[in-house]
Amino acid sequence: MLEGKCVDSAPLHRAECLSVTSSELWTRATADRYDAEETEMSSAAVLGPTLAFLADLAGDGRALEFAIGTGRVGVPLRERGVPVAGIELSEHMAAALRRKIDEDTLPVTIGDMATTVVPGEFTLVYLVYNTITNLLTQDEQIECFRNAARHLAPGGRFVIELGVPPLRFLPPGQVAVPFDVSERHLGFDTFDLVEQILVSHHFTRDDDSDGDDLRYRRENSRHRYAWPAELDLMARIAGLEKERRLADWDGTPFTQDSTKHISVWRKPA
Ligand SMILES: C[S@@+](CC[C@H](N)C(=O)[O-])C[C@H]1O[C@@H](n2cnc3c(N)ncnc32)[C@H](O)[C@@H]1O
């Protein structure tokens, strides 16, 4: 499952957006629901190790979050004392962040993370929660690595959090891989193995529906999935060196059975 519920409700915005990026534009409705729906990803159990890891890498320097969204990570990282700036494509997601923290404390630039340049140098650039996949072409993902390298001080790190493509669950003839079958939500991925694109489908039960009147909201989002090794090559193209790969923020080693990875590349000093 890859996060990125954008979608079908904003065809005009999407068309405007396609002229500069392949990313789907996250709508106001999605932005308004995001924090309420991401309770697990916003829990202390998830954010604790995430923030400790990122704060350690930022050191005494500044951090830049690509696709900062509503500030799920960036806001508490700033509150820990790390100076944070953000780049975000969706004005709606940025507006939700702005309701939590002011511009002087956490500046956000509206733009595409593959190309947007913000002032200053950073010891850490990070891109979490599978969001590299929102760039739907390999060229754009490479540009995203280049843009991270552009913002890093010598010795600085680029960190990505990304799921391992779940293709081991897709035997020949099967068209979809379920990732959530719960009371409120049904989710499954479908794949275009030639174009390296997956679509995450979400059916989320309306809160006010039950019994004989069950109603579900349908959303889907497109992603370009990538293997860890492909990201390493993108990093090399961008002049970054692989430093480490973990299975989670708490330092769990990455193995062949890991379902996600935290990868760290370093700009040579
Ligand atoms: C899964 S959310 C992650 C938000 C936040 N980083 C977090 O961890 O909660 C993905 C975010 O990526 C943003 N996004 C998608 N494509 C983008 C692009 N090309 N440049 C900048 N932001 C982008 C979306 O608008 C959305 O806010």
Side-chain angles (χ1 to χ4, degrees):
M1 179 249 335
L2 292 176
E3 198 54 39
K5 300 179 215 163
C6 170
V7 318
D8 35 24
S9 55
L12 291 176
H13 286 151
R14 210 179 135 197
E16 284 164 19
C17 163
L18 281 174
S19 62
V20 288
T21 173
S22 65
S23 291
E24 296 171 329
L25 190 58
W26 285 45
T27 62
R28 181 192 300 268
T30 306
D32 289 347
R33 279 195 299 263
Y34 187 82
D35 287 345
E37 292 193 342
E38 296 299 341
T39 46
E40 189 186 337
M41 288 298 281
S42 305
S43 68
V46 172
L47 281 183
T50 308
L51 299 174
F53 191 99
L54 295 174
D56 182 50
L57 285 188
D60 295 331
R62 301 168 64 216
L64 174 63
E65 180 168 353
F66 281 177
I68 192 166
T70 65
R72 180 184 65 88
V73 176
V75 169
L77 189 62
R78 180 69 190 92
E79 286 166 356
R80 276 177 84 117
V82 177
V84 177
I87 294 174
E88 170 54 47
L89 190 62
S90 163
E91 291 185 30
H92 305 299
M93 294 294 279
L97 176 147
R98 193 52 70 225
R99 291 195 280 274
K100 303 173 188 167
I101 196 162
D102 67 73
E103 175 74 18
D104 288 342
T105 314
L106 201 167
V108 173
T109 303
I110 299 297
D112 175 17
M113 61 188 167
T115 52
T116 301
V117 179
V118 303
E121 252 189 356
F122 299 83
T123 51
L124 172 67
V125 178
Y126 64 97
L127 174 56
V128 293
Y129 207 177
N130 300 321
T131 305
I132 183 89
T133 67
N134 287 34
L135 295 166
L136 295 175
T137 69
Q138 187 184 56
D139 282 349
E140 286 175 298
Q141 292 183 354
I142 291 171
E143 282 313 306
C144 184
F145 272 82
R146 283 210 174 102
N147 203 28
R150 182 178 293 132
H151 286 92
L152 284 173
R157 270 62 164 243
F158 182 37
V159 174
I160 278 189
E161 175 188 34
L162 180 60
V164 174
L167 296 185
R168 290 170 78 184
F169 298 105
L170 192 75
Q174 184 166 323
V175 294
V177 174
F179 55 79
D180 187 26
V181 181
S182 59
E183 190 59 27
R184 269 201 80 237
H185 178 249
L186 301 171
F188 59 89
D189 291 328
T190 54
F191 296 84
D192 180 336
L193 299 178
V194 175
E195 298 297 331
Q196 213 168 302
I197 294 286
L198 76 76
V199 180
S200 288
H201 306 257
H202 301 267
F203 292 79
T204 310
R205 202 184 78 197
D206 284 354
D207 283 335
D208 59 356
S209 81
D210 56 15
D212 293 336
D213 181 35
L214 273 185
R215 277 170 278 114
Y216 285 82
R217 187 177 69 248
R218 179 178 184 175
E219 298 167 297
N220 56 55
S221 56
R222 282 161 57 78
H223 304 266
R224 182 182 186 274
Y225 61 86
W227 298 100
E230 186 183 2
L231 300 188
D232 289 339
L233 192 55
M234 293 182 189
R236 282 179 65 178
I237 290 169
L240 302 174
E241 297 168 348
K242 180 175 157 190
E243 190 173 80
R244 59 191 147 129
R245 172 158 295 128
L246 304 164
D248 213 337
W249 298 104
D250 61 7
T252 306
F254 183 76
T255 71
Q256 62 178 0
D257 292 322
S258 298
T259 56
K260 65 177 267 189
H261 59 101
I262 312 298
S263 296
V264 183
W265 300 273
R266 186 169 178 272
K267 183 166 176 169

